[in-house]
Amino acid sequence: MRGLLASAVGVTCAAALALPLTSPALAARPASPASPAAPAAAGPAAVRPAPGAEVLGGTQSLPLAPLASRDRTLAPVAEQGLPRRDVRRFSLVGVIWDDPDTVLHGRVQVRTRAVGADTWSSWQDLETHNDDAADPGTAERTSGRVHGATAPLWVGDSDGVEVRVRAEADRRTEDTARGSRTATTTAPLPTGLRLELVDPGESAPAPARQGSAASAPRNAVAPRSAPTAEPAADLAGMDAAAANADLADLDATEIPALDRQQTEQELFALRAGQLTDRQRAKPYIGPRPRIVTRRGWGADEGLRERKFVYTKKVKAAFVHHTASGNGYRCTQVPSLIRGIYRYHVKSMGWRDIGYNFLVDKCGNIYEGRAGGVAKPVLGAHTLGFNSNSMGIAVLGSYGSKKPPAAVTKAVARIAAWKLGLHGANPKGKTYLKSGGGNLYPKGRKVRLNVISGHRDGFATECPGRQLYRKLGSTRTSAARLQGR
């Protein structure tokens, strides 16, 4: 997916994830037995876990090297890659490089071999412009751990990979005394290119307390309990659960839905000292929707930074799509989110997953960045506008395909509730101060829709043309849910 031109560079929704469940070359094969609850057998060169052992996930990071260019006008350094090889099991692939401010002008392609297969997929493109990020100058952005990165690509259970990265060639015709000639130039590739192979694993927080009545998420496979975690991971898991303690039990895999009266009572309890007289008299808030917790999708809390970072309030919601393809099953979503989470933290160097909420095509809503779903958690979703906002990412690609009704309803529900906690009207406008980006310079106050698309704050095609077209009706639906 190519984005709008910004400084002559096309960009798209970042942390995006292209998601063919099976490669075109393998589409006719029987489905892999792997699932979030049952790992497939490893391939010939993969590391096989001991029988009954839990797979907690991991990342293989492989340096790329110059390839012999097929185009003699290109220098060898303009094409890097990794020859076909056997690797340990993985499901998500991306390419990173040293400097997060360097843009990769070129094409990144991978092909993979499914676990247990002899054939290879066709070449698949990775989106090179990853434009979701922490704001410039923030601690998360300036930590020294952040890398430039492509969007990750979901390829399913695989144990073989090949990658090639080719610089974009700029060919132009020049007039000379002897006639015209074609001149070719290439921008250098970023330094430190590495292939990241992510195994989402079956990671889960500490086992539920005995006698817990927490139910597994609808349309999701509940991850099995992991072995006893290190103390730091245990404490991080307790912190993540405690951030939602006003809404659900500590070992809950979901935060249940409430009706309007219950939601209003909860609003008065959560924000009693912060409500305006108008909110007390007429609490415009949508009924709280059901939300799958981080425990529900199996977050390994030991990966992220321990502390939580908050913004002042939530004045706006930015809607994204992950450019992930639409062929996934909703039972696979916990694994997909674990893959995105690990890629954001371990490969890209962010402190946690970037989005505040994620929505699948079945209309399930998932907690994203830790810190409490009712609290103004600072995300890394819309470069320049993360403060006083939240990011809602829809898993899928909606440039040419219309989003299912379940998606738009879920986006309206989570927006009506979360914006209602902070007194924001989904059909209204608000002002946000830019932290710096390719549309608005740092410090400029920008008037935006309270429910905006990613492209409203950054030059990108995200959230896809078809999903963006639905934002008007989403605003209306969210306002109606609030009783406006």
Side-chain angles (χ1 to χ4, degrees):
M1 180 185 72
R2 285 287 180 186
L4 305 176
L5 288 179
S7 302
V9 177
V11 293
T12 65
C13 191
L17 162 83
L19 179 63
L21 285 184
T22 55
S23 64
L26 302 176
R29 290 182 51 82
S32 168
S35 72
V47 175
R48 290 180 171 83
E54 291 294 343
V55 180
L56 298 181
T59 302
Q60 302 169 71
S61 186
L62 307 174
L64 304 189
L67 299 175
S69 176
R70 295 162 295 168
D71 187 339
R72 294 184 179 180
T73 63
L74 298 178
V77 74
E79 188 167 19
Q80 296 187 34
L82 191 73
R84 184 179 295 189
R85 67 167 61 184
D86 296 339
V87 292
R88 297 191 304 274
R89 173 184 166 180
F90 70 97
S91 298
L92 193 84
V93 58
V95 170
I96 65 170
W97 52 91
D98 292 339
D99 186 355
D101 295 319
T102 298
V103 178
L104 195 163
H105 296 282
R107 189 176 189 183
V108 180
Q109 294 180 299
V110 299
R111 56 182 173 187
T112 57
R113 183 190 61 213
V115 169
D118 295 323
T119 57
W120 288 70
S121 73
S122 59
W123 287 104
Q124 300 177 80
D125 287 291
L126 275 65
E127 176 53 58
T128 60
H129 304 298
N130 212 351
D131 50 24
D132 289 350
D135 288 345
T138 60
E140 184 170 6
R141 180 74 175 182
T142 59
S143 66
R145 300 188 303 270
V146 181
H147 293 97
T150 68
L153 176 75
W154 181 268
V155 294
D157 288 323
S158 305
D159 60 9
V161 68
E162 182 178 7
V163 63
R164 62 191 185 196
V165 181
R166 198 177 198 211
E168 188 174 68
D170 180 22
R171 292 182 173 87
R172 63 183 184 275
T173 302
E174 298 178 343
D175 292 327
T176 68
R178 298 182 178 180
S180 61
R181 68 182 182 89
T182 299
T184 302
T185 59
T186 58
L189 290 173
T191 60
L193 288 169
R194 301 185 70 87
L195 178 67
E196 301 288 288
L197 304 176
V198 180
D199 174 11
E202 297 177 47
S203 178
R209 296 174 298 184
Q210 290 185 355
S212 169
S215 58
R218 179 167 44 87
N219 289 330
V221 175
R224 293 174 290 175
S225 298
T228 302
E230 294 295 329
D234 268 341
L235 292 173
M238 291 172 62
D239 288 347
N244 291 316
D246 292 332
L247 313 180
D249 292 338
L250 293 179
D251 54 9
T253 57
E254 64 177 63
I255 297 169
L258 298 180
D259 61 26
R260 179 179 296 279
Q261 183 178 3
Q262 292 170 324
T263 303
E264 291 180 359
Q265 292 173 349
E266 180 183 74
L267 171 65
F268 295 140
L270 291 176
R271 299 181 59 80
Q274 300 168 292
L275 298 179
T276 64
D277 291 340
R278 181 175 297 182
Q279 281 180 288
R280 292 188 184 94
K282 183 64 176 178
Y284 292 109
I285 186 169
R288 187 181 77 192
R290 171 186 168 273
I291 304 169
V292 178
T293 64
R294 289 172 65 92
R295 178 179 177 81
W297 54 261
D300 179 356
E301 300 295 355
L303 293 180
R304 62 172 175 83
E305 285 187 11
R306 175 81 182 276
K307 64 181 181 179
F308 306 138
V309 180
Y310 298 99
T311 184
K312 292 182 179 179
K313 63 187 303 184
V314 178
K315 298 171 63 177
F318 285 98
V319 179
H320 305 251
H321 74 165
T322 59
S324 54
N326 305 305
Y328 64 88
R329 300 187 302 275
C330 292
T331 52
Q332 295 177 305
V333 171
S335 182
L336 301 184
I337 298 175
R338 290 197 300 275
I340 300 171
Y341 171 45
R342 180 173 283 274
Y343 187 72
H344 281 188
V345 175
K346 304 300 289 185
S347 299
M348 296 177 64
W350 296 359
R351 59 184 308 275
D352 195 352
I353 192 169
Y355 304 117
N356 298 105
F357 297 97
L358 300 102
V359 174
D360 68 27
K361 66 181 179 181
C362 296
N364 297 306
I365 301 169
Y366 301 82
E367 178 184 12
R369 180 162 287 205
V373 296
K375 299 176 183 179
V377 178
L378 179 68
H381 50 84
T382 304
L383 181 65
F385 292 100
N386 291 303
S387 292
N388 297 329
S389 73
M390 67 173 177
I392 305 170
V394 179
L395 293 165
S397 299
Y398 296 104
S400 59
K401 182 177 177 59
K402 294 181 179 179
V407 164
T408 54
K409 289 179 180 178
V411 172
R413 288 199 304 270
I414 189 61
W417 174 69
K418 187 65 180 279
L419 292 171
L421 287 173
H422 296 269
N425 181 353
K427 291 184 69 175
K429 303 277 188 178
T430 192
Y431 281 93
L432 294 177
K433 182 183 289 187
S434 173
N438 64 2
L439 275 183
Y440 303 103
K442 184 176 181 179
R444 177 177 293 182
K445 290 185 177 180
V446 182
R447 190 168 185 257
L448 295 162
N449 288 307
V450 168
I451 297 181
S452 287
H454 184 185
R455 64 173 65 181
D456 295 321
F458 198 91
T460 173
E461 285 190 354
C462 185
R465 180 172 56 89
Q466 294 292 349
L467 181 55
Y468 189 76
R469 290 176 60 185
K470 291 290 186 180
L471 292 188
S473 59
T474 300
R475 296 180 191 109
T476 300
S477 298
R480 187 182 302 117
L481 286 167
Q482 287 189 346
R484 297 182 186 271

